[in-house]
């Protein structure tokens, strides 16, 4: 379970978060929506300590990560994975080595076992023939899928998705949605930052709207879809920025 | 004008603080195993082996030009026999290590800053952290250690090549006897001369690598900043080498 309490963050004179509070239950997928620059990604990055909170707490499995050092955060980062918007693949490594990186760092698996695990995962993600390619020769959709595969290879409890379908064609969007649903079926907790409302409605249990540095509006997809005057429905139609 | 001065001072103080913090983090992480041998070897190849041609040409031409200049200048006073002594001492104590460091700062420092800066912009540094590993251990330490190992070796090579360059010009242009040249060099140079020059390379290695990593890691956004970080890394590390050289020379004379 993840619990965020009165989280505040500012950059210079810009107050991005003014006391954000929410929680995500084990196995639940929370959608996080909001206008561009509203601080969704900053909030997501803060959940694994990539950004430091100015005040407030972020409690993951009973531990407040805002008080942790980089060394202490390593344990959390093995359990909470982050799927970057652009994949953030290491461009000096092949797809195979990108996926092998967390396994070589954090497990005692033999190279033959690593190879098998990676091949299985690449097959599952529809990337069976790309293990020897470098990230530069992959399409945006493939990079995102490899990034997601790398994020989940250590079998984390929670996955943070940063705009996983942004800029993708319908085929790749469909692929990513299916992967998120498959992970959800395995009882993985998820937080999904997105602008893609159909994907949010499809994969999320609840959707939260981050507006003016606050996250007070949280609802189930069905409630939003049935109420055209719901603030999230209005946002989805482009009437709130 | 005042605003510009304040901004420059702010950036200078930020750099001094950042340099110190990064150096402390490197020292602290070095104490914790495991050690990244493979990454260190890759960097030794990049920094040491691939800088070899540049250092060879720089040292050879420096030795040759110095010998020519001193030879022509001292000929008026009948001082040509002193050329081997002056040239070899200058190369071992100053020119070899300082020119080597400046060339490495330009080639390697620029490369490090731009590579790390690009990794910041494309979120690869964030990915290293998000995957439960340390960018200091994976990126900074191999580069700092490789520079620390390679720069004194490259400096030693530059000393040798520079002296040989001097010998070539001494013999071909100044018509000095090669045996006389070699005798003068070997009876002039002491181990102290070698160590006072190459000893400074260890400090220059820290100046180059930490400065380049600092400017790379502090890139905030966009490729424009990567270019700026690259320029800053070369300029600042060159200044540190030149200014540091004076103080280190004084220090070595005291010691």
């Amino acid at each position: 379970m993840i619990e965020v309490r009165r989280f505040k963050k500012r950059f210079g004179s810009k107050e991005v978060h003014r006391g954000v509070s929410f929680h995500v239950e084990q196995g639940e997928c929370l959608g996080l929506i909001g206008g561009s620059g509203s601080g969704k990604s900053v909030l997501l990055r803060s959940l694994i300590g990539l950004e430091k909170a100015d005040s407030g707490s972020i409690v993951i499995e009973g531990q407040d990560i805002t008080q942790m050092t980089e060394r202490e955060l390593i344990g959390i980062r093995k359990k909470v994975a982050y799927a970057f918007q652009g994949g953030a693949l290491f461009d000096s490594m092949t797809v195979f080595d990108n996926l092998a990186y967390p396994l070589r760092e954090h497990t005692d698996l033999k190279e033959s076992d690593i190879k098998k695990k990676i091949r299985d995962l690449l097959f599952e993600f529809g990337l069976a023939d790309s293990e020897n390619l470098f990230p530069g020769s992959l399409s945006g959709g493939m990079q995102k899928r490899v990034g997601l595969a790398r994020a989940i290879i250590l079998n984390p409890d929670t996955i943070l998705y940063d705009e996983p379908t942004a800029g993708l064609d319908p085929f790749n969007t469909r692929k990513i949605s299916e992967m998120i649903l498959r992970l959800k079926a395995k009882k993985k907790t998820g937080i999904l930052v997105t602008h893609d409302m159909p994907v949010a409605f499809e994969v999320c249990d609840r959707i939260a709207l981050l507006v003016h540095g606050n996250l007070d509006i949280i609802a189930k997809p069905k409630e939003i879809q049935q109420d055209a005057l719901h603030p999230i429905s209005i946002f989805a139609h482009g009437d709130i920025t | 004008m005042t605003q510009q001065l304040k901004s420059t001072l702010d950036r200078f103080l930020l750099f001094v603080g950042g340099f110190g913090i990064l150096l402390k983090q490197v020292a602290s992480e070095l104490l914790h195993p495991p050690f990244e041998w493979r990454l260190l070897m890759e960097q030794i190849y990049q920094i040491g082996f691939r800088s070899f041609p540049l250092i060879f040409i720089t040292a050879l031409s420096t030795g040759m030009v110095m010998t020519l200049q001193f030879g022509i200048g001292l000929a008026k006073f009948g001082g040509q026999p002193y050329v081997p002594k002056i040239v070899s001492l200058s190369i071992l104590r100053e020119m070899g290590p300082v020119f080597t460091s400046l060339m490495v700062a330009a080639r390697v420092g620029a490369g490090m800053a731009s590579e790390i800066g690009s990794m910041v912009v494309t979120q690869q540094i964030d990915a290293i952290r998000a995957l439960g590993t340390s960018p200091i251990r994976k990126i900074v330490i191999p580069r700092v250690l490789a520079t620390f190992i390679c720069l004194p070796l490259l400096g030693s090579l530059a000393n040798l090549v520079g002296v040989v360059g001097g010998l070539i010009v001494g013999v071909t242009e100044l018509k000095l006897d090669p045996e006389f040249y070699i005798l003068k060099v070997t009876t002039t140079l002491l181990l102290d001369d070698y160590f006072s020059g190459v000893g400074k390379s260890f400090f220059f290695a820290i100046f180059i690598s930490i400065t380049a990593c600092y400017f790379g890691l502090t890139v905030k956004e966009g490729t424009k900043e990567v270019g700026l970080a690259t320029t800053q890394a070369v300029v600042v590390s060159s200044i540190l080498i030149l200014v540091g050289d004076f103080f280190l020379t004084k220090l070595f004379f005291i010691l």
Side-chain angles (χ1 to χ4, degrees):
Chain A
M1 179 178 160
I2 297 172
E3 183 152 23
V4 177
R5 293 188 210 119
R6 295 181 294 281
F7 172 81
K8 287 186 183 176
K9 178 78 185 169
R10 67 162 58 233
F11 291 102
S13 59
K14 191 184 179 195
E15 196 172 22
V16 182
H17 301 107
R18 300 174 177 175
V20 169
S21 298
F22 66 95
H23 73 279
V24 188
E25 296 292 339
Q26 180 65 41
E28 185 188 19
C29 184
L30 176 75
L32 204 54
I33 60 169
S36 296
S38 61
K40 303 180 298 295
S41 293
V42 172
L43 182 57
L44 202 66
R45 288 164 58 81
S46 304
L47 295 179
I48 51 163
L50 292 178
E51 298 283 350
K52 288 282 172 204
D54 293 338
S55 66
S57 63
I58 297 168
V59 180
I60 297 175
E61 291 182 7
Q63 294 175 286
D64 184 0
I65 68 152
T66 58
Q67 305 301 320
M68 289 182 173
T69 62
E70 276 289 306
R71 193 173 292 279
E72 289 166 338
L73 280 166
I74 290 173
I76 293 293
R77 289 169 180 167
K78 285 190 225 170
K79 292 179 201 160
V80 182
Y82 194 105
F84 288 88
Q85 188 175 347
L89 301 175
F90 303 128
D91 53 17
S92 60
M93 295 181 190
T94 60
V95 167
F96 180 89
D97 286 330
N98 264 281
L99 294 181
Y101 181 90
L103 295 172
R104 288 173 180 151
E105 288 296 323
H106 299 301
T107 70
D108 296 323
L109 287 176
K110 287 185 280 182
E111 270 308 299
S112 55
D113 296 332
I114 288 175
K115 196 172 261 183
K116 186 180 178 322
K117 196 173 170 76
I118 289 171
R119 286 194 174 153
D120 290 348
L121 197 62
L122 285 174
F123 181 77
E124 190 185 336
F125 275 62
L127 295 158
D129 299 327
S130 55
E131 68 178 87
N132 294 318
L133 299 177
F134 281 88
S137 56
L138 300 178
S139 69
M142 287 166 88
Q143 287 191 20
K144 280 184 191 242
R145 279 188 275 158
V146 175
L148 183 54
R150 186 181 65 181
I152 64 161
I153 203 160
L154 286 176
N155 198 22
D157 301 326
T158 303
I159 302 119
L160 309 175
Y161 308 95
D162 190 1
E163 301 201 29
T165 57
L168 295 187
D169 58 74
F171 172 78
N172 277 300
T173 301
R174 181 79 249 143
K175 284 264 176 200
I176 297 269
S177 299
E178 284 168 5
M179 282 165 209
I180 296 172
L181 286 169
R182 277 210 294 274
L183 291 165
K184 210 176 134 189
K186 291 178 187 170
K187 300 287 173 208
K188 305 287 182 193
T189 308
I191 299 181
L192 170 71
V193 164
T194 189
H195 286 126
D196 192 334
M197 293 310 294
V199 170
F201 286 138
E202 186 183 1
V203 304
C204 297
D205 297 300
R206 291 184 298 150
I207 296 172
L209 176 64
L210 185 61
V211 63
H212 304 309
N214 290 305
L215 203 147
D216 301 327
I217 306 158
I218 303 181
K220 291 182 176 172
K222 227 173 209 171
E223 294 168 1
I224 301 163
Q225 286 169 307
Q226 286 169 355
D227 182 0
L229 294 176
H230 193 283
I232 295 178
S233 297
I234 296 171
F235 171 82
H237 287 108
D239 296 329
I240 299 178
T241 56
Chain B
M1 186 67 184
T2 317
Q3 193 63 32
Q4 200 176 359
L5 197 69
K6 188 179 169 296
S7 156
T8 307
L9 186 68
D10 281 351
R11 276 188 285 134
F12 172 73
L13 292 175
L14 267 176
F15 168 71
V16 172
F19 187 98
I21 290 168
L22 194 53
L23 191 59
K24 182 175 163 279
Q25 286 176 330
V26 167
S28 159
E29 290 261 2
L30 268 173
L31 300 174
H32 296 91
F35 191 74
E36 304 287 345
W37 291 106
R38 192 184 55 81
L39 296 176
L40 176 65
M41 290 302 147
E42 269 176 29
Q43 289 304 318
I44 285 177
Y45 173 76
Q46 290 293 336
I47 294 165
F49 189 75
R50 296 194 68 184
S51 297
F52 178 84
L54 178 68
I55 299 306
F56 184 89
I57 292 165
T58 307
L60 189 71
S61 61
T62 304
M64 291 169 87
V65 168
M66 278 179 73
T67 305
L68 198 61
Q69 289 282 11
F70 278 120
I72 293 165
L74 292 175
K76 297 170 196 164
F77 315 104
Q80 272 196 343
Y82 294 102
V83 169
K85 197 172 191 160
I86 295 167
V87 170
S88 57
L89 264 179
S90 308
I91 287 174
L92 255 75
R93 297 194 76 101
E94 287 300 328
M95 298 305 171
V98 171
F99 278 17
T100 301
S101 301
L102 288 172
M103 297 315 279
V104 169
R107 196 190 88 81
V108 175
M112 276 186 208
S114 62
E115 186 186 5
I116 297 173
S118 302
M119 289 181 80
V120 171
V121 171
T122 53
Q123 292 191 304
Q124 292 178 58
I125 298 292
D126 281 340
I128 291 175
R129 293 172 67 205
L131 291 166
T133 50
S134 158
I136 302 293
R137 180 179 298 277
K138 291 279 172 192
I139 303 294
V140 179
I141 288 179
R143 284 161 176 77
V144 172
L145 280 187
T147 316
F148 196 78
I149 292 166
C150 293
L151 199 59
L153 293 175
L154 288 169
S156 304
L157 171 85
N159 288 342
L160 180 68
V161 174
V163 171
V164 170
L167 172 67
I168 293 167
V169 172
V171 172
T172 56
E173 297 289 327
L174 307 182
K175 308 298 177 202
L176 292 171
D177 178 52
E179 278 182 27
F180 167 79
Y181 199 104
I182 292 166
L183 183 73
K184 278 288 166 192
V185 169
T186 50
T187 52
T188 301
L189 297 178
L190 302 170
L191 269 181
D192 272 2
D193 299 318
Y194 170 76
F195 285 120
S196 74
V198 168
K200 288 188 280 193
S201 301
F202 291 105
F203 293 90
F204 296 156
I206 300 292
F207 294 161
I208 295 167
S209 54
I210 297 283
T211 302
C213 291
Y214 168 79
F215 281 111
L217 287 170
T218 49
V219 165
K220 290 276 181 274
E221 56 198 42
T223 45
K224 193 180 169 191
E225 264 203 38
V226 175
L228 190 65
T230 306
T231 309
Q232 283 176 321
V234 175
V235 171
V236 173
S237 53
S238 300
I239 290 170
L240 284 176
I241 289 164
L242 294 169
V243 175
D245 182 43
F246 173 76
F247 292 103
L248 289 168
T249 303
K250 282 201 77 160
L251 181 72
F252 281 119
F253 270 124
I254 294 166
L255 296 174

